[in-house]
Amino acid sequence: MNRQVVVTGIGVISPLESGKGLEVFWQELVAGKNAIKEINSFDAKGYECKIAGEVEDFKDSEADRWIRFLDSAFKQAMEDANIDANAASFGLCVGTVLGGILAGQEAWKNGKQEMPETYSLFSGEHYLTNKYNIKGPVMSISTACASGTDAIGIAYRNILWGKADVMIAGGIDILSEFAFAGFNSLKALTKDRVRPFDKNRDGLAIGEGAAFLVLEEFGTAQKRGAKIYGRISGYASRADANHLTGPDKEGKGLASAMKAALNEAGISRVDYINAHGTGTAYNDAMETKAIKLAFGKSAYNIPVSSIKSMLGHSFGAAGAIEAAACLLAIRDEIIPPTINYQEKDPECDLDYVPNIARKADIKSVISLSAGFGGQNAALLFEMVS
Amino acid sequence: MTEEFVITGIGIVSPADIGKEAFWGSLINCKSGIKEITRFDTRGKKSHLGGEIRGFDLDAVFPDKRFRRAANTSKYCLASAKLAIDDAGLDSSKWDGTKVGLVVAVTHSAINYSREFHAALIKEGPLAASPLLFSDSVLNAPAGNTSIAFHIKGAAHTIVGGIPAGLDAIGYAINIMKMNDLDICLAGGAEEIDSLVFDSYARFGLLSPGDRFQIRPQEEGIKPFGIDRNGFVIGEGACVLVLEKNKTALERSARIYATISSFNTTVNLKTSKSPKIFRAMPVDESIYLSTGANGTAHDSTEAEILKTEFAKSKKPYIGNIKPIIGECFAASSITQAASAAMVLYKAIIPPSTIRHDLTSEMRWGRFNASEENIEVKTAIVSSIGLEGEGSFLVLKRQIG
């Protein structure tokens, strides 16, 4: 198996840049800008948490909000890779947790007994497939908060295996009161701000967005002289088999995913870890343990940061947006910070790149995701020299 | 040498019956599980038929109180997984879970839990929203619950898709086994009937109207490839297959139903008319073809594709389980795969469920009226979704 997979295009819709594109997103991320604000899209009265990372709406069509985000991130990625979506042959992999839940909410609120056309999770896949004549393979995956990471991982494997030469893969989720109420009922929401790995962290904030990567077989990308952000050199997914909503506290599943991804790439350490880092007491402690299990003593020398401190947790989109950040970190040799970090927690004693971005020689990055159902995923990116 | 993967366990929870032998009995006797819907009132609705699983009791198959409040989709999946693991002669309490994976395909999953959660939120406010309903409403809950129940730690993934997604689960399970070096991977599909899903398809005019007072499923239900087909009947259930590396299956002397020869995951049939399903179509062989036609417009797409593929081959036996179990979406296509594997293993071809006048594109097949004891070497499973997406699977009889 000597095929290699490179990333040649990125499209991101996030609360930070709100439709202004990838470079603005990245500049603001590196500047440590907080995108989590008071909620606009629904009335948060009745909830203790009143904040979320919302994308300032841009209306480029009449389609459902989730379809607009999906299409917009998809188009950005294709344009960035300089691929004509209508002419090229490629596959698609979409990761999402709640898909068109807004349409469902709206219908049910009004007492309509229906499943709107854009409700189902795979309606996004069908929308893009029809609009761009995508030949396939096409797949939608839902592995809770690891969906975006797994979608990219699956697409990467499709190319490794020769099932496709080009795959567009990413994740999406939009803010809904449904998800907000769900995480509120699980007592997982912060009262004021997301403080990943900080001693006083008290929960996550919900975000929204979408991101797609264009993955290409290295030779195909080289032949057409494509710009290359980096390559994907390893991916693994592991299940905790522990509890539907709580992670395995020792982080064994996540550690095992990391080890398997490193093993696939044939390396034993990385220059930066892009953490799942939701800001909940459980996740951040578990993740810290998992990193130590996977890297041993060298864990203390690897910078770890969570961009969810700025963006909030956008479920299916999170892993894909984080993958974009990893590739840009490699390109510009800079690590985005973990903001709102103030007090060290004895349980979380790694280098979390507090509050200020850091220049570093970055040749390899691992991106971590974990989610409901005991999902753990690790995706490894390396610089192409 | 490329590694071979085989099916060694089958677990079925279907409207026709629970357990693979009972299900097989329904196929042989053409005993349909389609009846008038009882779960909700169908008065005033355009259709009244459904393939419901009535009186399902998870405890009878898998007593574990952790899952008593799970949604039916999860319960069907748990029961099917338990039946499949037992059928394969495996013991999940003893296996190394890190060497076992799971892929579950769902279409609508626990939409009833989503609605119930949302209804409480709207009526009574955030404090009434139940964390349990929320966590069990997510689409990966069936896979999550199943991985917890059977200590599956290799990977536990959920594919969300239309009818062919069950076959995609098989293809993807094999990918996971190869990449992660797993010994075993469970592949499954699960769905449950919900009134809202029913109403939505009824509104699109996709459901067979049926007959509220004279239920005659053979006449009024799904007529695959029928010239006067008038839609599908909604069904529910789950099917889980145990997939293993051929090598490890042989080492433990497992019963092998079939070898997985090739698979083609979802391709867009609107843009690729000839999906090149089968690497080399055998010319002189009797082939069993499990079709996915469900009495909708897409039956013609499937018929045309298959007609082209079989243009130079011997007439295949045409099977179709939809008149027996209804359209169970992601669970249907994998149940088709299970039935095809049983045909290969038992060397029996069940009587064709297709007994009505056929659309012209499909008149080239063989529709046996009664069961035939014939050893077929190849079985093909085809499944076309409501958006014109298709997945295909080729199974071979294990030689020796």
Side-chain angles (χ1 to χ4, degrees), chain B residues 158-290:
Chain B
T158 299
I159 295 175
V160 188
I163 300 160
L167 295 184
D168 297 349
I170 297 175
Y172 185 53
I174 289 173
N175 281 6
I176 288 186
M177 286 170 87
K178 284 193 191 176
M179 295 299 295
N180 296 1
D181 194 32
L182 301 179
D183 296 331
I184 299 164
C185 193
L186 271 55
E191 270 297 287
E192 68 181 278
I193 290 183
D194 177 70
S195 65
L196 184 135
V197 175
F198 180 93
D199 284 355
S200 300
Y201 287 111
R203 191 169 306 118
F204 295 136
L206 288 166
L207 297 186
S208 171
D211 180 336
R212 188 162 143 70
F213 302 104
Q214 288 176 288
I215 304 303
R216 292 166 299 162
Q218 291 303 332
E219 289 79 29
E220 302 291 350
I222 296 179
K223 292 180 203 169
F225 305 114
I227 203 155
D228 60 345
R229 61 188 188 274
N230 58 8
F232 66 84
V233 172
I234 223 161
E236 63 181 347
C239 173
V240 171
L241 304 179
V242 175
L243 309 179
E244 278 183 73
K245 279 180 190 161
N246 188 39
K247 195 172 154 276
T248 50
L250 289 175
E251 273 165 15
R252 66 176 193 92
S253 309
R255 170 194 41 212
I256 292 171
Y257 286 100
T259 302
I260 291 162
S261 171
S262 70
F263 56 87
N264 199 337
T265 49
T266 298
V267 286
N268 184 355
L269 298 171
K270 283 177 217 152
T271 50
S272 37
K273 286 285 180 212
S274 172
K276 305 247 180 316
I277 309 163
F278 322 116
R279 273 181 295 214
M281 177 67 76
V283 179
D284 312 315
E285 237 185 271
S286 290
I287 291 177
Y288 180 73
L289 179 55
S290 172

Side-chain angles (χ1 to χ4, degrees), chain B residues 22 48 68 82 85 90 131 142 164 191 204 208 226 257 288 297 318 330 337 374 392:
Chain B
H48 312 280
R68 281 195 187 141
K82 170 71 175 146
I85 293 165
L90 293 164
E191 270 297 287
F204 295 136
S208 171
Y257 286 100
Y288 180 73
I318 311 290
I374 287 179
F392 306 91

Side-chain angles (χ1 to χ4, degrees), chain A residues 1 45-47 96-98 101 104-106 108-109 112-117 119-122 125-126 129-130 133-144 150 153-154 156-158 160-161 163 177-186 235-245 252 256 264 371-376, chain B residues 45 66 98 106-108 111 113-115 117-118 121-122 125-127 129-132 134-141 143-145 147-148 150-162 168-169 171-172 174-176 178-180 182 194-197 199-201 203-204 263-268 270-272 387 389:
Chain A
M1 200 154 41
K45 198 174 69 187
Y47 297 97
T96 181
V97 181
L98 287 164
I101 187 71
Q105 256 186 200
E106 199 52 35
W108 304 340
K109 203 180 281 177
K112 283 191 196 149
Q113 170 77 356
E114 65 178 49
M115 184 177 61
E117 211 177 328
Y119 170 77
S120 79
L121 265 66
F122 52 98
E125 159 201 320
H126 288 317
T129 303
N130 290 331
N133 283 321
I134 299 173
K135 292 187 182 70
V138 177
M139 193 189 271
S140 295
I141 185 136
S142 195
T143 49
D150 283 324
I154 290 164
Y156 151 74
R157 286 179 178 174
N158 273 344
L160 272 192
W161 285 39
K163 292 235 166 222
E177 190 177 353
F178 185 96
F180 197 86
F183 279 85
N184 182 64
S185 74
L186 290 164
Y235 158 70
S237 165
R238 292 289 183 269
D240 281 340
N242 175 50
H243 188 270
L244 210 50
T245 54
K252 278 185 252 162
S256 164
E264 191 168 297
F372 275 13
Q375 302 289 341
N376 302 283
Chain B
K45 297 187 196 267
R66 289 178 296 174
T98 61
V106 295
T107 302
H108 311 97
I111 192 169
Y113 272 41
S114 299
R115 280 201 299 151
F117 172 83
H118 187 253
L121 171 66
I122 295 303
L127 290 176
S130 150
L132 192 127
F134 180 67
S135 56
D136 261 288
S137 76
V138 296
L139 276 91
N140 68 323
N145 282 324
S147 72
I148 292 165
F150 305 106
H151 321 289
I152 295 168
K153 297 184 175 179
H157 278 190
T158 299
I159 295 175
V160 188
D168 297 349
Y172 185 53
I174 289 173
N175 281 6
I176 288 186
K178 284 193 191 176
M179 295 299 295
N180 296 1
L182 301 179
D194 177 70
S195 65
L196 184 135
V197 175
D199 284 355
S200 300
Y201 287 111
R203 191 169 306 118
F204 295 136
F263 56 87
N264 199 337
T265 49
T266 298
V267 286
N268 184 355
K270 283 177 217 152
T271 50
S272 37
E387 294 278 336
E389 76 279 22

